[in-house]
Amino acid sequence: MYIYIQGTGCVSPQETAAGNALPATVSPWEGARLKAWEPDYKQWIDVKLIRRMSRVIKMGVAAAKLSLQEAGVEKPDAIITGTAYGCLDDTGVFLSKMINQQEEMLTPTAFIQSTHNTVAGQIALMLGCHGYNNTFVHKAFSFESALLDSMMILREGRLRSILTGAMDELTNHSFNILSRFDIYKKVPVTHEQLLKSDTHGTVAGEGAACFVLGTERGPNTKARLSGLTTLYKPAGKAEISADIDAFMAAHNCSQSEVSLFINGRNGDASGDEWYEHVENTIMAGKPVATFKHLCGEYPTAASFGMWMGCRILAEQQVAAAAMFKGEVPEKFEKILIYNQYKQTHHSLILLSVC
Amino acid sequence: MEKLMAALKAQIVEQLNLQEVKPEDIGDDQPLFKDGLGLDSIDALEIIVLLQQHYGIRIANPEQGPEIFHSVRTIAEFITAHQTAK
Amino acid sequence: MNSNVWIAGGGVICGIGNNLPECLEAFKRMEPGMAHMEYLHSVHRHTFPVVEVKASNATLAEWTGMPEHISRTALLSCVAAQEAWNSTGLGDISQYRVGFISANTVGGMDKTEDFFADYLQDTSKGHLNQVVHHECGAITELVADAMGIRHHISTISTACSSSANALMYGARLLKNNMVDVVIAGGTDALTRFTLNGFNTLMILDPAASRPFDDTRTGLNLGEGAGYVVLVSDALAAELPATRQPWCRLSGYANANDAYHQTASSPDGTGNFLAMQGALEMSGIKPEDIDYINLHGTGTQNNDAAEGAAIARLFAPEYPPVSSTKSFTGHTLGASGGIEAVFSAWSVKEGIIYPNANFHKQMKELPFAPVTKFTAGQELKHVMSNSFGFGGNCSSLVFSKNAQS
């Protein structure tokens, strides 16, 4: 059974929410923090609902609406989301008030909106969708788990379309705290410098990307989700190589069939060695595209990578800003996406044109 | 009473983050919930805290909410009655 | 694809016992666990009773071999997951492809709230080791790492239905032959964050909760962890004769109420759809269910909606029902896992658990919960309900025999 990507939607630090495509020009950013470019949410969300929504909820709902629109699906059979941090802003608001007000005179809104399943629940509420509804919250496997659950359910053959996606927001608190863990660049870099900086650390990002997956082609279907796998804490680069080999073999895909290799290079010297290893071995000679200089690093950033891969297959072209090395191929048939987060969570996604 | 109602309207708009609603748009007798201003049970809980914060009034049973919170006037009357009773 | 999913074992820790036998004793003796807070520090300690696990973090650390300073949520998880694994007799965990699917609602929040108190004073302050495991997934990884599991790990968070969904995902992993065995369930420690959150909703009962009682006024929060071990037909056949599987996970379904962010619809649409879907997957009729372990939180809203949905689906004959939350409190993300262990054991031993503090039947319902502990009954099919915020509703069905 094939799993088709019937629609995609993305809110990111680039203007991806405007035309559902990666603009030719990159929105510039400075420092170590990329903020999402936010559309006018009122085009999708009732003002009565919007008043309680934090950014991550709005971004998630917007990406969901964009993908459903493209798929021509009003109400999916299921909604599955992934988020590593959940609704951080509301969590921070409730936590701060609880501490500052010594647990007195607290109000419910931020607490209610802080639960990790808020985005999936809100989408269900807005669409009146009574179907299967789930939320995965496993760090940099959150998106991949949501995708895997969707694929397994579709293969059972009872459901026809599933809205699946991932969303994570960066707040002032989370950026401050994550910065103290020494994971971001100390010296400012631009999007052009980031991937060649060869120094420690990366830049922080955020965003939401949603996909309508189905067992049949839709009116705008251009790509298939051919495969997905995850690898937790590989012992070393040899293990990831073996894993990629096994993954490709399992999906009857030879190296020569891969038109483009998209990977999660983020400018952190030691983390990028993993990608370099794969670029120089299993994917030697393949053109390489990257995306973290466009969306920043966050645990569910692979969803942006998959969105970009889908757009490349649909449009049969790649934005110059996304190319990292090699010649732009004439045709895009299969795209392999390899992402890893803090060298702990590794994932592979295989997309095919259709 | 008029002053209290005006203050309440501003506090409700602020506390509930009612975008695109101005305090003066809310009628004194306009129903706040459902078809009126469209508030729901979460807002009722927010208003309970608002009354505690601004007027020192505690409502222990949320079931009392619908009756007291019918309109800005009924809330103002409840506040007045409760404060004089103290 | 269509193979059975067997329950090869289970483990639980909660406010009425540190393992399954202790919990069963508490049910037999009709001893619910509501008490004043001992380990959680909150200004509400004299206002709301809770159902705490009767062990300090130091004790839990000693039992598990984990460091004492980590989140209590991870410590509780490890105790129950280890008990679950050891109950199966499967032996060395490293010889299998193991999945660990654990649910929780607020990750390492118990430590984050300590961190935040210092951080809010000065953003360069606060010990980073208190916030490093804030994410829900970090809790799962601490336990997976401690137990040597790395084949497939994931974390689910759908409020109070979280762990029931962990069982569903785990079952799918088995059916797709991605793993040989899955430890699935959930964990949550008490935190000030959740206590205060539920307090803002005005649904905490200052006395012991009275699920499905006409006079109920709210829930008591509890803490704990519960896991079942899921295995496929192939591995079930290899189990030693003395450690036969407890039962099968024969059906499950998840639906969304799509009515309100926190409240259930008056007729319990999502609850109805979840129960109906689980029955359908099991291939059985409502009258085949021999016992329902209710979600039964004790709030006006939940019990009315769940009751209405049961009345609609099961009329005119109602199976015995009870809420074990009247003993354990509402353990949130752990509740579906803890109650899955109770329900699976119920099928194995023919146990119907009592509902504590019940006096007056809800006037809108044609049935009342069971109030006495009984064992040794012939129970073929037991249903476990878990419903939560965000409209998330899940039902599981545990069944005795292999599918005919």
Side-chain angles (χ1 to χ4, degrees), chain B residues 59-71:
Chain B
I59 298 173
N61 183 1
E63 307 250 308
Q64 283 182 284
E67 199 186 323
I68 303 167
F69 303 153
H70 176 72
S71 65

Side-chain angles (χ1 to χ4, degrees), chain A residues 29-72:
Chain A
W29 45 266
E30 278 173 59
R33 178 174 177 179
L34 280 73
K35 286 186 183 171
W37 181 90
E38 295 185 88
D40 177 13
Y41 294 116
K42 289 188 186 118
Q43 58 187 307
W44 300 293
I45 313 171
D46 186 332
V47 281
K48 278 184 182 163
L49 291 171
I50 246 175
R51 67 192 169 103
R52 289 189 186 136
M53 291 183 175
S54 62
R55 278 184 334 117
V56 68
I57 304 172
K58 289 187 277 196
M59 291 194 290
V61 170
K65 287 274 189 174
L66 279 167
S67 65
L68 290 166
Q69 221 168 298
E70 189 186 34

Side-chain angles (χ1 to χ4, degrees), chain B residues 5-56:
Chain B
M5 287 198 289
L8 270 172
K9 288 174 192 173
Q11 286 154 356
I12 288 171
V13 168
E14 152 97 34
Q15 178 96 10
L16 305 183
N17 191 24
L18 297 176
Q19 298 167 355
E20 301 185 353
V21 176
K22 294 194 194 87
E24 56 269 30
D25 294 346
I26 305 173
D28 297 345
D29 297 297
Q30 181 187 357
L32 295 176
F33 289 80
K34 293 183 182 155
D35 293 341
L37 198 56
L39 303 187
D40 65 12
S41 59
I42 300 171
D43 296 306
L45 294 168
E46 291 277 342
I47 296 174
I48 289 176
V49 179
L50 187 158
L51 295 187
Q52 200 180 336
Q53 268 174 336
H54 293 273
Y55 304 96

Side-chain angles (χ1 to χ4, degrees), chain A residues 111-125:
Chain A
F111 174 69
I112 291 167
Q113 304 280 92
S114 75
T115 58
H116 289 74
N117 59 333
T118 304
V119 181
Q122 282 285 353
I123 298 170
L125 196 54

Side-chain angles (χ1 to χ4, degrees), chain C residues 30 32 208-216 294 303 321-323 326-327 354-363 365 367-372:
Chain C
M30 285 302 289
S209 66
R210 302 178 296 286
F212 274 75
D213 189 288
D214 205 46
T215 65
R216 69 196 182 281
L294 300 164
D303 296 1
V321 304
S322 69
S323 168
S326 61
F327 285 77
N355 195 107
N357 306 319
F358 176 81
H359 298 291
K360 191 172 177 214
Q361 183 170 333
M362 286 166 64
K363 52 183 163 309
L365 292 183
F367 60 89
V370 175
T371 55
K372 289 205 167 50

